[in-house]
Amino acid sequence: MHGWIILDKPLGLGSTQGVSAVKRVLRQGGYGKGIKVGHGGTLDPLATGVLPIAVGEATKLAGRMLDSDKVYDFTISFGMQTATLDAEGESVAESDVRPTRAALEAVLPRFTGPIDQVPPAYSALKIDGERAYDLARAGEEVVLASRAVTIHSLQSSPSSLGEGDHRVSDGGGAGRTGDAPPPRPAGAVPLPERAQGGLEEATLTAHVSKGTYIRSLARDIALALGTVGHVTMLRRIKAGPFTLAPAISLDKLNEMGQARTLEQILLPLRAGLDDIPALALDPDQAGALRQGRVLAGIAVDDGQYFAMLGAIPVALVEALDENVRVVRGFNLD
């Protein structure tokens, strides 16, 4: 078992819990107890969607997923900012201003391209060795430095609602129309009478670089529109090369584990490196790389390659000046 299992992570499940679920299914399905499992990038418990789980030798590539771009659908609810910048936290600021769709569309280009953003206080970043969210929960003031990120694209989602609509997110990217707005976090105070005709919420799609916080992006968009806001729905629809297409639910994972058919949904090692060209090896070259030796006189362009002996992955390698060195070796026969 070497490759990738793509989970469609449900609401409320942490990334490490996703890893534990796969470990448990592998063990219960009789695949072995010592198989390494890791995830390819943290996804908040209140978010859903693509969570790549690396199995076996694929764990050696999981770190590359942290550096990959991501694509998210997310909904901003206007009128209230919370401590956590999502629906879990208590209200810290409120506004009766509701932006028009035209104003929203006009402001999005300001958040496209290289930008600086301040991460949420409730994040896993460390301050003097302590997690920021632990300090925030303890009531300490958390001040995080801004960071440079890139928003490759930012646009209104086709599912974004019209002005004046209300929707309650179910955490799965879908919603239901109703007479009442989304439930308000604990501690919220009543809003004053608000002007009619503005957007109660908007759903956007963002293609972002590593290190981007969607909650911070939502906060800053709302502020630029002269109001405040927080995220009520967050769904990752792409992580690196992985999309929702091969993603499976936890129920499906358990079902296939019990049937011992996980191989059917296990993507190959190469699936995590679809942007890297293959480098065909002969047996002698493969043997040399497995021993950590450098291959000289390999006439290829500089860059990274996925070195293969036939259909067997040998190593992720780096070519420079016709010399090929191992970046990550795979213990596969």
Side-chain angles (χ1 to χ4, degrees):
M1 294 292 289
H2 303 283
W4 301 88
I5 292 175
I6 312 303
L7 288 184
D8 186 349
K9 191 189 81 65
L11 197 67
L13 187 81
S15 297
T16 54
Q17 291 174 299
V19 169
S20 297
V22 172
K23 284 182 177 179
R24 182 178 64 255
V25 167
L26 289 171
R27 185 174 61 252
Q28 292 175 346
Y31 288 92
K33 297 181 180 180
I35 299 176
K36 293 181 180 180
V37 181
H39 65 74
T42 300
L43 193 57
D44 287 348
L46 292 183
T48 69
V50 176
L51 178 62
I53 303 293
V55 180
E57 290 295 284
T59 56
K60 295 178 178 179
L61 301 173
R64 288 179 52 85
M65 295 301 301
L66 302 178
D67 295 330
S68 64
D69 290 350
K70 313 291 191 303
V71 181
Y72 295 90
D73 286 340
F74 65 103
T75 298
I76 310 173
S77 178
F78 296 111
M80 178 168 58
Q81 182 173 313
T82 66
T84 57
L85 303 182
D86 58 27
E88 187 178 43
E90 295 186 352
S91 174
V92 295
E94 301 196 7
S95 170
D96 62 352
V97 174
R98 297 295 182 271
T100 64
R101 181 161 300 283
L104 173 65
E105 296 292 346
V107 84
L108 294 185
R110 290 169 51 182
F111 295 93
T112 305
I115 66 170
D116 290 329
Q117 69 169 200
V118 177
Y122 285 81
S123 66
L125 296 176
K126 288 188 175 182
I127 301 175
D128 296 329
E130 298 286 337
R131 296 289 185 186
Y133 56 67
D134 288 332
L135 296 174
R137 287 168 183 159
E140 296 189 31
E141 182 179 2
V142 175
V143 180
L144 294 169
S146 66
R147 55 167 57 187
V149 298
T150 300
I151 312 299
H152 299 291
S153 66
L154 178 63
Q155 57 193 14
S156 296
S157 169
S159 62
S160 193
L161 299 177
E163 297 181 12
D165 286 345
H166 298 293
R167 187 176 72 167
V168 180
S169 170
D170 64 1
R176 59 184 185 273
T177 301
D179 296 327
R184 297 162 62 76
V189 296
L191 284 172
E193 187 72 17
R194 62 174 70 112
Q196 298 298 310
L199 290 171
E200 289 296 329
E201 61 179 33
T203 299
L204 307 175
T205 300
H207 174 194
V208 304
S209 69
K210 70 171 183 176
T212 302
Y213 282 90
I214 298 298
R215 287 175 292 151
S216 292
L217 181 62
R219 172 199 63 202
D220 295 343
I221 289 172
L223 290 172
L225 289 166
T227 184
V228 291
H230 66 281
V231 170
T232 55
M233 185 278 289
L234 178 59
R235 182 159 175 79
R236 188 157 70 190
I237 59 176
K238 189 175 183 183
F242 299 120
T243 67
L244 283 168
I248 63 169
S249 66
L250 283 181
D251 287 344
K252 187 67 173 179
L253 175 72
N254 290 326
E255 176 186 319
M256 298 190 76
Q258 292 173 6
R260 289 187 56 81
T261 56
L262 286 176
E263 293 86 351
Q264 295 178 11
I265 51 96
L266 185 72
L267 301 180
L269 282 178
R270 179 78 192 273
L273 301 171
D274 70 342
D275 58 331
I276 295 179
L279 175 64
L281 305 174
D282 62 35
D284 290 340
Q285 291 171 328
L289 287 180
R290 284 168 174 156
Q291 294 172 10
R293 291 187 287 166
V294 176
L295 300 183
I298 306 298
V300 294
D301 294 335
D302 292 351
Q304 290 195 332
Y305 292 84
F306 196 67
M308 307 277 292
L309 176 60
I312 301 174
V314 175
L316 174 65
V317 298
E318 183 86 29
L320 180 63
D321 297 331
E322 297 192 354
N323 291 318
V324 172
R325 292 176 171 82
V326 173
V327 176
R328 287 284 186 276
F330 306 121
N331 297 318
L332 300 172
D333 295 326

